[in-house]
Amino acid sequence: MTANSSQVPLLETRELSRSFGHGDHIVRAVERVSFSIQPGEILAVVGESGSGKSTLARLLLRLLDPISGQILLHGRDVTRLHGKALKAYWQKVQGVFQDSFAAFNQFYTVRRSLEKALNVMDYRPSRKERLERVEVALEEVGLDPVDVLNKWPHQLSGGQVQRVMMARALVVNPELLIADEPTSMLDASLRVTVLNLLSDLRKRHNMGILFITHDLGQANYVSDRLLVMYQGELVEQGPVEKVLEAPQHDYTQRLLADVPRLRSTDGFSTQATPEG
Ligand SMILES: Nc1ncnc2c1ncn2[C@@H]1O[C@H](COP(=O)(O)OP(=O)(O)O)[C@@H](O)[C@H]1O
Ligand SMILES: [Mg+2]
């Protein structure tokens, strides 16, 4: 790798914007957002409800078109990809969402759902390869393939559904995972499991992870860097400790004031682990 190519971020946005509606009823959901994420980095996006986090996720996943601005993957403009090229993009960039049960096709077994996710590959994997990839992905998220492969969504627990959805994102070996509040529907102990899973994925595969949350405690627990969104704008970004120790923006200071326990030594763990 040349010195130059090592500096090209995994993903970068430049002044990315998306609004909804028009005239007096315009909502600037994402307004000139610029940031980058490196391979192997966990970047948390925090902000209150309605601050534009999910819109940003959908833009990055190319499920929604920006009104202006750019998205670059390894320095290549991917803002307007469509068709085959967009499929190739989805091999590298995958997402998991908050309400995974709704995202799950109720008429497919786990195996079928995960095999379907392989449709974005640029070749058609053999039956054997498909099954292998599905099994590896399930093991990756700590599920026993034998136990869950032939189950229907309603036969899984909430924690299993969330992990199956993560496995579904992982079957194609993405380089970037966009996780939009993947823990918000889970109880405290499962939340920790999923957060630990994110850091394992980063370690094992050098995966970049954009972890969206409204919970500063979780962001602090798992991420390297923090982006703070407020009313569609990126108001602050930096290494987690730095932002939490010395928040520059009023809004970040207010967010922090709402989580007093974050500053205690055992901060997040007391919040998230059920005690005795
Ligand atoms: N499809 C849509 N149509 C109209 N407004 C939308 C749409 N999606 C999001 N919005 C608006 O954009 C703003 C940001 O929403 P969202 O990205 O979901 O925020 P967050 O995920 O941070 O809660 C909100 O005001 C929301 O109502
Ligand atoms: Mg959201």
Side-chain angles (χ1 to χ4, degrees):
M1 209 195 270
T2 66
N4 192 32
S5 72
S6 68
Q7 287 161 6
V8 174
L10 171 53
L11 189 103
E12 184 183 353
T13 69
R14 295 185 183 157
E15 308 248 310
L16 198 63
S17 302
R18 171 72 201 208
S19 51
F20 296 103
H22 46 261
D24 289 344
H25 303 286
I26 199 155
V27 177
R28 299 187 195 287
V30 169
E31 183 72 0
R32 292 170 178 256
V33 167
S34 304
F35 72 94
S36 63
I37 178 167
Q38 299 296 331
E41 183 177 41
I42 303 187
L43 183 60
V45 180
V46 299
E48 66 195 354
S49 173
S51 57
K53 305 181 299 297
S54 294
T55 303
L56 180 63
R58 289 165 64 213
L59 288 170
L60 299 179
L61 284 162
R62 290 296 328 278
L63 300 172
L64 192 67
D65 287 325
I67 280 166
S68 60
Q70 283 178 298
I71 305 170
L72 296 98
L73 181 74
H74 296 300
R76 246 190 75 226
D77 193 330
V78 295
T79 323
R80 305 280 158 196
L81 294 184
H82 55 90
K84 251 188 173 171
L86 184 55
K87 262 175 125 183
Y89 180 72
W90 286 330
Q91 251 186 78
K92 303 210 164 115
V93 183
Q94 279 284 317
V96 278
F97 301 92
Q98 174 172 18
D99 188 358
S100 39
F101 197 75
F104 210 134
N105 188 320
Q106 303 303 307
F107 304 103
Y108 288 173
T109 60
V110 168
R111 178 175 173 178
R112 179 132 185 247
S113 267
L114 268 63
E115 288 194 353
K116 277 259 173 194
L118 290 167
N119 286 347
V120 299
M121 304 292 288
D122 55 5
Y123 64 96
R124 187 167 159 72
S126 67
R127 196 182 152 80
K128 181 163 170 276
E129 182 184 337
R130 289 205 302 272
L131 181 59
E132 258 168 30
R133 278 179 172 268
V134 167
E135 287 176 339
V136 168
L138 287 170
E139 279 162 5
E140 191 108 71
V141 299
L143 293 171
D144 179 0
V146 178
D147 187 32
V148 296
L149 263 180
N150 296 310
K151 286 204 167 137
W152 302 93
H154 69 266
Q155 295 176 304
L156 302 169
S157 70
Q160 282 177 323
V161 172
Q162 189 55 278
R163 278 190 272 178
V164 167
M165 290 313 290
M166 289 184 69
R168 186 169 177 257
L170 298 175
V171 279
V172 296
N173 293 326
E175 294 176 33
L176 175 64
L177 183 69
I178 308 223
D180 187 2
E181 309 221 23
T183 58
S184 61
M185 312 280 272
L186 303 176
D187 67 36
S189 63
L190 280 171
R191 206 175 294 153
V192 178
T193 309
V194 169
L195 293 180
N196 289 337
L197 187 56
L198 293 180
S199 38
D200 288 348
L201 287 173
R202 172 259 284 282
K203 271 184 235 145
R204 273 187 249 133
H205 302 289
N206 201 38
M207 197 179 285
I209 299 174
L210 192 86
F211 172 57
I212 296 175
T213 177
H214 59 261
D215 183 340
L216 270 177
Q218 291 183 45
N220 180 40
Y221 181 75
V222 78
S223 65
D224 308 308
R225 239 166 8 105
L226 205 60
L227 307 183
V228 182
M229 286 188 74
Y230 179 62
Q231 296 183 352
E233 289 182 42
L234 195 57
V235 294
E236 183 155 3
Q237 60 175 309
V240 178
E241 321 80 65
K242 213 174 142 203
V243 174
L244 297 184
E245 278 308 308
Q248 298 300 305
H249 196 274
D250 286 356
Y251 173 67
T252 317
Q253 290 170 6
R254 272 184 280 137
L255 260 186
L256 261 174
D258 290 341
V259 261
R261 278 199 280 181
L262 195 63
R263 283 167 179 250
S264 71
T265 48
D266 50 1
F268 176 71
S269 58
T270 50
Q271 244 180 335
T273 314
E275 306 282 331

